[in-house]
Amino acid sequence: MGLEILEIRMWAEERFSLKISNKEAREISTVGEFAQYISANSKPAFHPHSDYEAVYDMLVDLLVSKYNIPRESIVETSLLYADLGLG
């Protein structure tokens, strides 16, 4: 797992108060899968904006602002490693 992916994982764990195991992290390969994992495993009572659409938008915003990935190149099926170059 590359540094960028580890940083994104830590962002999700802190932002949504969840723990992502190494095994679960290895099974996530697309932006959409990652957003789905977060929305399915976060605690809505503490994070009212944890529905899929909100999580997906926050994840895209993070990828654009922190990793300079053009917004238009990010779609739900974008592979984190191969398509977005995160490693």
Side-chain angles (χ1 to χ4, degrees):
M1 182 178 302
L3 180 60
E4 294 96 349
I5 297 297
L6 183 59
E7 289 174 341
I8 295 167
R9 179 178 164 184
M10 290 171 44
W11 166 82
E13 289 178 336
E14 290 175 17
R15 174 72 176 89
F16 296 98
S17 301
L18 51 86
K19 179 69 177 147
I20 304 169
S21 73
N22 289 335
K23 180 181 184 247
E24 291 168 321
R26 284 190 297 269
E27 293 173 356
I28 297 169
S29 60
T30 69
V31 174
E33 289 172 356
F34 196 66
Q36 182 60 42
Y37 178 89
I38 294 168
S39 64
N41 292 285
S42 64
K43 297 169 181 60
F46 299 106
H47 302 283
H49 301 292
S50 63
D51 69 338
Y52 176 81
E53 304 258 339
V55 170
Y56 178 79
D57 289 342
M58 285 185 265
L59 182 55
V60 169
D61 288 343
L62 175 74
L63 296 172
V64 169
S65 65
K66 184 164 181 141
Y67 301 101
N68 299 315
I69 298 171
R71 187 173 298 276
E72 61 274 4
S73 68
I74 304 170
V75 295
E76 291 176 304
T77 57
S78 295
L79 296 168
L80 295 166
Y81 296 103
D83 296 336
L84 302 181
L86 301 170

